[in-house]
Amino acid sequence: MKLILQIALVCAACAALSASGKAIHTGADAPVREVPFTQVHFTDKFWAPRIETNRTVSIPSAFKECEKNGRFDNFAIAGKLMQGEHKGDFSFDDTDPYKIIEGASYSLAVKYDAKLDAYLDSVISLIAAAQEPDGYLTTCVTNNCTRLSGWWGTKRWQKINSHELYNCGHLYEAAVAHYRATGKRSLLDVAVKNADLVCETFGLGDNQIHYPSGHPIIEMALAKLYKVTNNPKYLDTAKYFVEEAGRLTNGRHPSQYSQDHMPILAQEEIVGHAVRAGYLYSGVADVAALTADTAHFNALRRVWHNMASRKLYITGGIGSRAQGEGFGPDYELHNHTAYSETCASIANVYWNHRMFLATGQARYADVLERALYNAVLSGVSLSGYKFFYDNPLESMGQHERQQWFGCACCPGNVTRFMASIPHYMYATRGRDIFVNLYAESSARIAADNNDVTITQTTAYPWDGDIALTVDPARRSEWALRLRIPGWATDHPVPTDLYTYAHSGGKPVTVTVNGRNVAFETVDGYAVISRKWKRGDVVRLSLPMDVHRVIAHDDVTDDRGKTALQRGPIVYCIEAVDQPDGTVFDKYIPDDSQFTPAFEPSLLGGVMTLSTSAMKVLPDGSTTAVPLKAIPYSTWNNRGPRHMAVWIPRQATLARPEPLPTIASRAQPFSEPTNIDPDTPAATSNLQSAYGYNDLWEPTSSADTSKPYHYWWLRRGTTENICYSLAEPTTVSSVDVYWLDFDHYDGNYRTPQSWCLYYMTPDHRWQPVEATSPYGTRKDCYNRLTFTPVTTTALKLQAKLQDGQSGGVIEWKVN
Ligand SMILES: [Zn+2]
């Protein structure tokens, strides 16, 4: 279909701040126009309660965490309102309050709350006080926090990865939201002053810094600021940051990690840190739309196609690796070790929404919906105060949502995102109205020459029947464009990454005022063109068959497995729902039938899927057992359990419950080692050790599909992992399977050498008396035999190869 990217800068209602500072509608926009979320009111049983929980629980509890963790104190110290030490571990801690202010502002706009309004005023006064006279604002720099100088250096704007511009971007996002919600300029003035400094500091001029943003968001934030103020310099600087990515003319080293490896115009593959990628490409889409730049938009389409065809989880999450929080190679979509950061799923929604706005194509809204109902929603507990950072598609119970994180990007992002979900429902182009999401709701939509109220009556996503009552202010002819989700027409994704095992379910039907209508499908939308009058009722019926999804054969971790989907909802099986309490020992034969049932008292009311599965017993025999699946987004609301999204189709891929071993009963840990001051991110969790006693057998040293231990950002150092044994145990050999694979974040290699220690009764580490060589071969176990010792703990100490990192996939003790 034709790429619609016209100059959209000229509009009847031009956007600017009037002299009085009151908002006037923006004129600068993409060809498809957004419908503000304040015009859309959900009254459904799926989203409305979650959005209300966000308002009443998530936002206040996240603000409380900011208070507890010194986030506001940092602003107060910078503003000389209090004395004390700068707090927190990251140079981007300022963004936590910004994100929550943004979410709180959205929330205020929908439901006014005088107390919250006043709270925001007080927080904003701290932020304003922290701003330096020339507009600069990053508290750890102003507070001269040398403890964090690994991030920011010794002066402002010194390090590309300092996150100063990331702080600025989140400030603008919050400021625009607060201004739009309240009409108050307090935070907007801070943002504008800061943006003026950024525009002066960064650019192609001789006296300007030539750096891209490091961690994007300022691109889309400046575009937003431009839309509110109509000041073209913000758009110019956004464009500068987009074009600076990969322009390595100043001796800068290419960085895949922050998509600064080649110009966006040359990019084909999505690589690097997933949140950075999603935010950068969202910003590129904004700038491309606002400047009618088809070249950049075409580059985006290529990168998007790579993402959607090779690097997209069935849940809509992106970014498979914990290392660098980023993408692996094509088709690397491991489930157990999936990173799929909550922020990355949110970024994926932002990006796809902008791709839709630029093109009017449903394929982007399809990916948006998939991420929204699955990967994003999994990021927050039903209670509203616990969050996932990574969202694995398989677990042995080691994952659990947390109230807060040292690096707290995700909770704040969830609060701002959940409040804005109604924003993604509708859009307009000329007189036409797009319907992208379905939920019981009412909306007032301003299309050209008409105001239209649309009321949706439906039990979506549990039921596919949707009645839309259309009430135009005046009778006129235009087209209602109803998205026909790809999942309803045998295309779960708009690429060949996922397909249905069985195609050809029930058809999609549309009636208007009770009569079947033949409709044309354009760009994935059923186009209903007619002269609309008040009370017209459109009924859309989407088939809610249970589908078995099959992944592209190159996704090795999904080979021979199936995922279950009904409507937009991806399912998982969690141990607590299975009568025998196990997950990985089951498979679902291809001919099994599923029974959907709505269970109002389960997990806030969900549709479950039940079937008869087969269980593989330790002796290799099989037996039929009942199996129940729940929506993936609702797992881990009843404690940490075994869980899987991709379920084997044959007995060979099911794993009978393994018998416990010395290693599996041991408690893994690691001893602190010296810290490299240049790698600030490695300073946390020094004692945590994990993944080498899970009893999953590796297939190679590059098999990162199941838990493994790695020494992230450590290179050439001496590292260790340990076992604390439950009781004094006599041991005489160990088997070690080393990690060995390439990554832009640092290659993982077998070690140069290693040594095994045991704990003596007087609590000293003593090397074992080895009776075989210390092996460092890859792709196999390395057995070390030694004179038997009776001990309560073992330590494996590895000297990494020069310049290389390393890790252990599995460590057995015999
Ligand atoms: Zn995050």
Side-chain angles (χ1 to χ4, degrees):
M1 280 294 147
K2 182 171 70 125
L3 169 65
I4 305 151
L5 257 183
Q6 295 133 354
I7 295 179
L9 299 179
V10 186
C11 177
C14 211
L17 297 178
S18 68
S20 66
K22 287 279 174 218
I24 302 174
H25 175 69
T26 175
D29 222 336
V32 177
R33 280 185 306 177
E34 303 164 71
V35 171
F37 68 92
T38 46
Q39 298 302 105
V40 184
H41 297 280
F42 283 11
T43 49
D44 69 324
K45 291 194 169 67
F46 188 89
W47 289 115
R50 301 298 294 265
I51 293 169
E52 182 64 3
T53 300
N54 186 59
R55 189 181 77 84
T56 57
V57 180
S58 307
I59 290 172
S61 68
F63 271 138
K64 203 148 270 148
E65 292 292 340
C66 283
E67 292 173 14
K68 240 167 59 186
N69 293 285
R71 298 291 196 265
F72 298 136
D73 291 351
N74 289 341
F75 287 99
I77 293 165
K80 302 203 167 36
L81 302 173
M82 73 180 275
Q83 292 193 321
E85 284 289 301
H86 185 90
K87 306 193 177 72
D89 291 332
F90 299 96
S91 58
F92 48 86
D93 285 342
D94 291 356
T95 61
D96 297 333
Y98 296 155
K99 287 178 198 169
I100 307 162
I101 291 170
E102 185 182 340
S105 299
Y106 295 150
S107 177
L108 268 186
V110 175
K111 203 163 190 171
Y112 184 72
D113 174 341
K115 226 173 102 187
L116 182 60
D117 193 2
Y119 184 87
L120 291 187
D121 286 344
S122 68
V123 170
I124 289 166
S125 68
L126 291 179
I127 295 169
Q131 186 166 39
E132 294 191 22
D134 66 354
Y136 183 82
L137 185 46
T138 281
T139 60
C140 69
V141 176
T142 302
N143 293 336
N144 194 27
C145 178
T146 50
R147 184 172 52 84
L148 298 182
S149 61
W151 288 103
W152 61 273
T154 53
K155 57 177 189 182
R156 60 163 80 162
W157 315 125
Q158 189 179 21
K159 291 193 166 190
I160 194 167
N161 202 28
S162 66
H163 290 71
E164 286 158 281
L165 290 168
Y166 177 69
N167 291 337
C168 299
H170 271 297
L171 168 66
Y172 312 163
E173 295 266 329
V176 170
H178 182 251
Y179 171 69
R180 283 186 172 149
T182 64
K184 295 181 195 174
R185 293 193 55 114
S186 49
L187 194 58
L188 187 67
D189 286 341
V190 175
V192 162
K193 194 170 172 189
N194 181 269
D196 290 347
L197 176 70
V198 167
C199 292
E200 197 184 297
T201 307
F202 291 86
L204 290 174
D206 289 343
N207 298 321
Q208 288 178 303
I209 299 174
H210 310 281
Y211 269 173
S213 58
H215 191 315
I217 195 173
I218 196 159
E219 299 82 355
M220 55 174 153
L222 279 169
K224 225 176 233 184
L225 204 56
Y226 161 66
K227 289 185 191 181
V228 170
T229 62
N230 220 31
N231 187 336
K233 78 175 172 186
Y234 302 138
L235 179 59
D236 289 345
T237 303
K239 188 167 182 284
Y240 161 75
F241 283 124
V242 163
E243 293 176 352
E244 186 59 40
R247 183 157 56 196
L248 306 169
T249 50
N250 56 354
R252 199 160 74 228
H253 292 298
S255 165
Q256 283 200 359
Y257 176 71
S258 52
Q259 294 80 36
D260 186 26
H261 55 306
M262 62 173 80
I264 287 161
L265 288 175
Q267 293 184 19
E268 308 255 346
E269 185 184 355
I270 194 161
V271 294
H273 187 269
V275 180
R276 280 173 167 83
Y279 283 5
L280 175 63
Y281 300 134
S282 297
V284 176
D286 280 338
V287 172
L290 292 168
T291 61
D293 176 353
T294 47
H296 269 93
F297 195 78
N298 284 333
L300 276 190
R301 286 155 78 98
R302 289 197 305 270
V303 177
W304 180 89
H305 188 262
N306 174 255
M307 180 276 289
S309 64
R310 288 156 194 225
K311 301 193 184 186
L312 176 71
Y313 279 104
I314 186 68
T315 55
I318 51 173
S320 62
R321 286 186 176 179
Q323 293 92 359
E325 306 187 307
F327 293 96
D330 284 350
Y331 298 114
E332 184 193 270
L333 291 164
H334 298 325
N335 295 305
H336 208 121
T337 53
Y339 202 62
S340 182
E341 185 182 336
T342 302
C343 291
S345 303
I346 290 172
N348 206 18
V349 170
Y350 289 158
W351 183 21
N352 277 283
H353 187 233
R354 286 160 168 85
M355 297 297 279
F356 156 73
L357 291 173
T359 59
Q361 291 180 357
R363 51 174 46 218
Y364 303 114
D366 280 0
V367 176
L368 183 159
E369 184 188 53
R370 176 169 297 282
L372 182 63
Y373 276 96
N374 303 292
V376 171
L377 204 49
S378 151
V380 55
S381 65
L382 293 170
S383 62
Y385 64 87
K386 290 172 98 181
F387 306 88
F388 268 137
Y389 196 115
D390 46 332
N391 294 270
L393 283 78
E394 191 175 293
S395 179
M396 292 174 70
Q398 73 273 40
H399 303 92
E400 190 161 26
R401 291 186 187 87
Q402 310 288 319
Q403 250 174 280
W404 193 248
F405 305 88
C407 171
C409 55
C410 299
N413 232 354
V414 167
T415 59
R416 75 181 185 129
F417 183 80
M418 291 295 286
S420 73
I421 288 171
H423 175 61
Y424 301 98
M425 190 168 226
Y426 294 101
T428 64
R429 183 167 67 203
R431 293 194 285 179
D432 292 358
I433 296 174
F434 290 87
V435 189
N436 275 331
L437 297 179
Y438 301 105
E440 184 135 317
S441 59
S442 65
R444 236 189 112 168
I445 300 158
D448 283 2
N449 298 322
N450 214 343
D451 278 342
V452 182
T453 299
I454 295 183
T455 311
Q456 290 193 29
T457 310
T458 178
Y460 194 91
W462 311 126
D463 189 290
D465 290 332
I466 302 133
L468 300 103
T469 305
V470 180
D471 288 314
R474 49 184 213 88
R475 206 172 163 166
S476 67
E477 192 170 336
W478 47 274
L480 183 69
R481 294 171 183 263
L482 302 172
R483 184 174 67 93
I484 305 301
W487 56 255
T489 57
D490 293 337
H491 294 95
V493 287
T495 63
D496 66 353
L497 185 55
Y498 302 108
T499 49
Y500 288 155
H502 306 288
S503 55
K506 296 181 202 86
V508 173
T509 60
V510 179
T511 66
V512 178
N513 299 331
R515 277 201 211 121
N516 272 319
V517 290
F519 56 86
E520 197 193 351
T521 304
V522 179
D523 289 340
Y525 293 86
V527 181
I528 321 291
S529 291
R530 55 184 273 117
K531 199 161 189 179
W532 295 95
K533 61 175 194 312
R534 290 184 69 84
D536 280 341
V537 177
V538 180
R539 284 183 192 278
L540 169 67
S541 186
L542 302 171
M544 284 282 171
D545 303 295
V546 178
H547 284 284
R548 274 169 238 266
V549 180
I550 308 294
H552 190 288
D553 197 49
D554 288 341
V555 183
T556 51
D557 211 26
D558 298 344
R559 223 175 258 164
K561 298 178 187 170
T562 187
L564 305 173
Q565 180 167 353
R566 182 179 181 276
I569 306 289
V570 174
Y571 281 77
C572 71
I573 55 174
E574 193 172 22
V576 62
D577 298 305
Q578 317 314 322
D580 58 3
T582 60
V583 165
F584 302 115
D585 56 357
K586 299 190 172 60
Y587 70 98
I588 303 180
D590 284 350
D591 58 356
S592 41
Q593 299 293 312
F594 291 91
T595 309
F598 187 74
E599 301 194 37
S601 57
L602 181 67
L603 298 165
V606 291
M607 190 75 75
T608 60
L609 307 179
S610 293
T611 190
S612 175
M614 299 301 289
K615 174 184 172 104
V616 180
L617 301 164
D619 66 3
S621 63
T622 59
T623 181
V625 289
L627 177 140
K628 183 153 103 177
I630 58 163
Y632 166 74
S633 67
T634 63
W635 85 281
N636 191 242
N637 276 289
R638 295 164 292 174
R641 318 271 176 164
H642 287 204
M643 180 279 292
V645 170
W646 289 94
I647 306 155
R649 297 163 72 189
Q650 306 116 17
T652 48
L653 290 171
R655 181 181 84 152
E657 282 299 299
L659 296 169
T661 65
I662 296 173
S664 76
R665 280 191 300 246
Q667 181 64 42
F669 69 102
S670 77
E671 290 193 329
T673 51
N674 290 334
I675 300 152
D676 177 358
D678 282 342
T679 54
T683 56
S684 56
N685 298 327
L686 275 173
Q687 307 286 340
S688 81
Y690 161 77
Y692 46 88
N693 69 334
D694 52 61
L695 307 185
W696 289 100
E697 288 299 329
T699 56
S700 77
S701 281
D703 182 358
T704 52
S705 64
K706 300 295 182 210
Y708 57 97
H709 186 86
Y710 59 100
W711 293 295
W712 185 50
L713 297 185
R714 315 292 291 163
R715 293 187 181 95
T717 47
T718 298
E719 305 293 339
N720 69 78
I721 48 174
C722 307
Y723 276 137
S724 170
L725 306 178
E727 57 202 353
T729 308
T730 303
V731 296
S732 59
S733 72
V734 296
D735 295 288
V736 182
Y737 209 114
W738 300 107
L739 184 69
D740 193 295
F741 74 98
D742 297 333
H743 192 244
Y744 59 81
D745 222 22
N747 290 329
Y748 294 79
R749 293 285 168 256
T750 60
Q752 187 180 303
S753 61
W754 60 289
C755 188
L756 186 73
Y757 295 83
Y758 71 97
M759 182 77 80
T760 62
D762 58 345
H763 294 277
R764 283 182 305 108
W765 288 117
Q766 180 78 26
V768 298
E769 279 178 31
T771 54
S772 71
Y774 279 95
T776 56
R777 281 173 303 148
K778 62 175 187 176
D779 300 330
C780 64
Y781 278 102
N782 290 269
R783 168 157 291 199
L784 174 77
T785 56
F786 47 88
T787 308
V789 292
T790 301
T791 186
T792 53
L794 291 166
K795 175 160 86 169
L796 185 163
Q797 185 169 293
K799 167 78 177 79
L800 304 178
Q801 292 185 39
D802 282 350
Q804 308 289 359
S805 188
V808 173
I809 303 184
E810 202 67 14
W811 172 16
K812 294 179 181 172
V813 177
N814 314 299

